[in-house]
């Protein structure tokens, strides 16, 4: 069932940049929001929940810590962070994704490039599967550093590519063939064709490390999850704790 209104680029169009990317990403997530969670679970065989738990655990903050779920979407990370005893606020570009968010967390419609929070407002920031959707990644990472207190923790979950050739072959078929078919059947073909293509926006690990350092983070770590099906980026905001 194709949902009208998604403006994800078709497989034949080049990947968008600048304001065009922001608008298209917003419309695409507005359109796929109602079935986003269902397709996520099918697409990852439910493994995404374990990876999300690892992401929240990586914050390692005390009970009651203030945590921003950046690009929170329907709120899977927020839900787990709240269970950990954190005070969570969610922010996302897409009003449709926020409307489908039933976590009960305070929510704000906001762009990662211009977060509506003062400096040092949070002890932790989590962000799931969104880096490659940001129009200006350096700006977004700078904003996460700005809203974190010195010593605050960042934990980011993203897609990756497995190093093992066997796993990589299966991953390529799944991500590039099965996922778009699943999207076409249950939601929006263009959006779920864009998803694997959008990995091209994601810088390689050494570049991501450098960008995090330049944004104001120290002790940056990147850990593959499930043999590289996903990756977890962890960093600490530079400065005194
Ligand atoms: C793949 S979804 C991930 C949602 C959620 N974090 C999760 O783990 O399921 C990507 C999310 O990033 C949001 N997003 C994309 N660009 C954004 C931006 N520039 N600022 C804030 N949110 C953005 C989208 O609206 C969408 O909800």
């Amino acid at each position: 069932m194709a949902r009208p209104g998604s403006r994800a680029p078709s497989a034949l169009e080049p990947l968008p940049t600048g304001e065009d990317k922001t608008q298209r990403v917003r419309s695409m997530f507005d359109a796929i929001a109602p079935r986003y969670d269902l397709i996520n679970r099918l697409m990852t065989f439910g493994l995404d929940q374990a990876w999300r738990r690892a992401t929240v655990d990586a914050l390692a903050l005390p009970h009651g810590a203030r945590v921003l779920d950046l690009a929170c979407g329907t709120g899977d990370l927020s839900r787990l962070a709240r269970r950990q005893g954190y005070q969570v606020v969610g922010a996302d570009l897409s009003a449709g994704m926020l409307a489908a968010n039933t976590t009960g967390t305070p929510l704000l419609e906001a762009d990662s490039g211009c977060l509506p929070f003062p400096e040092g407002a949070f002890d932790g920031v989590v962000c799931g599967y969104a880096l490659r959707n940001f129009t200006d990644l350096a700006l977004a990472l700078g904003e996460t550093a700005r809203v974190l207190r010195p010593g605050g923790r960042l934990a980011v979950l993203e897609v990756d590519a497995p190093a093992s050739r066997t796993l990589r072959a299966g991953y390529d078929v799944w991500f590039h063939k099965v996922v778009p078919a699943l999207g076409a059947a249950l939601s929006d073909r263009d959006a779920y064709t864009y998803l694997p293509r959008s990995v091209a926006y994601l810088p390689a690990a050494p570049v991501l490390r450098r960008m995090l350092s330049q944004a104001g983070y120290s002790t940056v770590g990147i850990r593959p999850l499930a043999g590289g099906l996903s990756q977890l980026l962890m960093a600490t905001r530079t400065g005194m704790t």
Side-chain angles (χ1 to χ4, degrees):
M1 179 181 56
R3 288 178 188 280
S6 161
R7 292 184 60 243
S10 73
L12 299 173
E13 286 180 273
L15 288 172
T17 56
E19 186 52 29
D20 181 33
K21 177 175 177 184
T22 307
Q23 298 302 336
R24 280 167 172 260
V25 164
R26 180 190 281 119
S27 314
M28 178 184 83
F29 281 104
D30 281 349
I32 66 172
R35 296 227 167 147
Y36 175 81
D37 287 339
L38 169 69
I39 297 184
N40 248 1
R41 298 296 175 270
L42 293 173
M43 212 165 65
T44 67
F45 299 105
L47 283 172
D48 63 307
Q49 285 302 86
W51 302 334
R52 288 171 203 283
R53 274 195 294 279
T55 306
V56 172
D57 287 349
L59 289 179
L61 290 164
H63 190 92
R66 302 155 304 164
V67 170
L68 170 64
D69 182 358
L70 175 60
C72 60
T74 53
D76 276 341
L77 283 174
S78 301
R79 202 172 278 113
L80 293 169
R82 275 165 65 121
R83 253 180 239 160
Q84 204 89 318
Y86 298 147
Q87 299 175 58
V88 184
V89 173
D92 199 284
L93 181 71
S94 155
M97 291 295 271
L98 292 175
N101 183 314
T102 57
T103 57
T105 304
L107 300 173
L108 276 99
E109 193 177 323
D111 189 323
S112 57
C114 181
L115 295 177
F117 306 107
E119 275 178 32
F122 296 98
D123 304 300
V125 174
V126 287
C127 180
Y129 298 113
L131 289 192
R132 64 195 189 283
N133 290 302
F134 296 157
T135 300
D136 186 333
L137 180 54
L139 185 63
L141 294 178
E143 277 294 87
T144 63
R146 183 185 65 76
V147 302
L148 273 175
R149 64 161 168 82
R153 296 276 298 152
L154 174 73
V156 175
L157 182 61
E158 249 308 342
V159 293
D160 200 1
S164 138
R165 283 172 72 174
T166 317
L167 200 56
R168 180 63 192 254
Y171 165 95
D172 281 344
V173 172
W174 183 256
F175 213 32
H176 293 275
K177 302 271 184 246
V178 180
V179 166
L182 208 60
L186 297 173
S187 179
D188 181 293
R189 178 188 296 278
D190 284 345
Y192 285 90
T193 302
Y194 167 80
L195 174 73
R197 287 183 77 206
S198 68
V199 175
Y201 287 115
L202 199 61
V207 180
L208 279 173
R209 277 180 199 277
R210 198 166 54 242
M211 290 178 83
L212 283 162
S213 304
Q214 285 168 351
Y217 289 98
S218 55
T219 58
V220 174
I222 303 184
R223 179 153 73 91
L225 298 170
L229 292 179
S230 276
Q231 58 182 320
L232 174 56
L233 286 70
M234 297 153 289
T236 303
R237 176 77 174 97
T238 310
M240 300 290 289
T241 52

